[in-house]
Amino acid sequence: MASSGYSQSSALHLVISSITFSFLKPIEVGSIAAYWGQHTDEGTLAAACATGNYKFIMIAFLTTFGSGQTPVLNLAGHCDPASTCSGLSSDIQSCQNQGIKVFLSLGGAVGSYSLSSSEDAQQVSDYLWNNFLGGQSNSRPLGDAVLDGIDFVIESGSGEFWPDLAKALALYSSQKKVYLSAAPQCPIPDARHDSSIQTGLFDYVWLQFYNNPQCEFGADADALLARWNQWTQVNSNQIFLGLPAATGAASSGYIPPDVLTSSVLPSIKSSPKYGGVMLWDRFFDQQSGYSAAIKNSV
């Protein structure tokens, strides 16, 4: 009986130690993601990463690709893709050396992109792998830097064949992990991203809670929170609250930093899939200081 009492005491000690340790563990915090590339005067990519505010940067955008088109990278004057943007290679590597994941963003609001078939999706996947990811090409637009992943921002056309592209890219992860992300609008389902996200292949989903009055922040957070709770059920590892970084960054959906940290984040951070906040974009964030204002609360 004495040995049994000793075992019970030891077990109790272990339970108490475990509980104490759980309280001492740091609270898991979210990250900030931001788009870069659409404003010449937003500063360099290296400078954006050097702020220490971001854990993800999406280089925007590859605006033309698919359906037999010659791919076109549009970085709004940061460099001339027709000649080369290889000077960005050192910036990308600098960001990655700081633990920041760097993605190439496909699509956007303006561009000529579409996929005409599963075979077309495979061809686009091969192009992305060889020119931006872990493959080999003599004409890598961003130089030798190997990006961490591909971001889907499909805002025109249909949702057809985008799941094929996601699957084709994911297969390359057997050689080097290819992270996948997407930026659907907050109404659910998003017709252009839904079938892709349902594949379960997307590591991150940045939800655009702006330019969508039916589900963005209004007089209160009710509509936003209701839609957020629906999105937590999608088949993705992490979801992010996407917001404009300043009033001029979108036609609607801006949330002042103090309101975000007091009235929105406390309600969504309890979600197991909460990843953090996505901002459009680096230019507006640089002007407003939004990421710096919310960083410690995300």
Side-chain angles (χ1 to χ4, degrees), residues 2 8 10 12 56 59 74-75 130 139-140 145 155-156 160-161 173-174 181 209 220 232 241 258 274 278 294 298:
Q8 290 175 353
S10 300
L12 180 61
F56 303 89
I59 297 176
N74 180 346
L75 296 182
N130 290 322
S139 59
R140 292 176 67 91
E155 297 188 348
S156 65
E160 195 172 15
F161 304 118
S173 287
S174 62
S181 64
F209 278 91
D220 54 42
T232 61
L241 180 70
D258 60 325
Y274 170 79
M278 175 275 280
I294 67 170
V298 171

Side-chain angles (χ1 to χ4, degrees), residues 145-165:
V146 177
L147 298 181
D148 296 288
I150 299 295
D151 177 48
F152 288 42
V153 186
I154 311 307
E155 297 188 348
S156 65
S158 73
E160 195 172 15
F161 304 118
W162 297 108
D164 297 287
L165 178 58

Side-chain angles (χ1 to χ4, degrees), residues 90-104:
S90 59
D91 282 24
I92 293 167
Q93 292 166 341
S94 173
C95 294
Q96 293 170 326
N97 289 339
Q98 297 170 66
I100 299 167
K101 290 184 173 63
V102 184
F103 291 64
L104 174 67

Side-chain angles (χ1 to χ4, degrees), residues 95-144:
C95 294
Q96 293 170 326
N97 289 339
Q98 297 170 66
I100 299 167
K101 290 184 173 63
V102 184
F103 291 64
L104 174 67
S105 189
L106 309 181
V110 179
S112 173
Y113 54 88
S114 63
L115 297 174
S116 59
S117 66
S118 296
E119 292 74 23
D120 189 27
Q122 182 63 58
Q123 290 176 3
V124 171
S125 173
D126 294 343
Y127 169 80
L128 294 172
W129 171 257
N130 290 322
N131 287 276
F132 296 98
L133 300 168
Q136 299 289 326
S137 169
N138 293 325
S139 59
R140 292 176 67 91
L142 301 178
D144 294 333

Side-chain angles (χ1 to χ4, degrees), residues 1-12:
M1 294 295 291
S3 61
S4 174
Y6 175 79
S7 298
Q8 290 175 353
S9 175
S10 300
L12 180 61

Side-chain angles (χ1 to χ4, degrees), residues 253-270:
Y254 177 75
I255 307 176
D258 60 325
V259 177
L260 176 71
T261 56
S262 65
S263 302
V264 179
L265 291 182
S267 297
I268 68 174
K269 289 177 70 172
S270 59

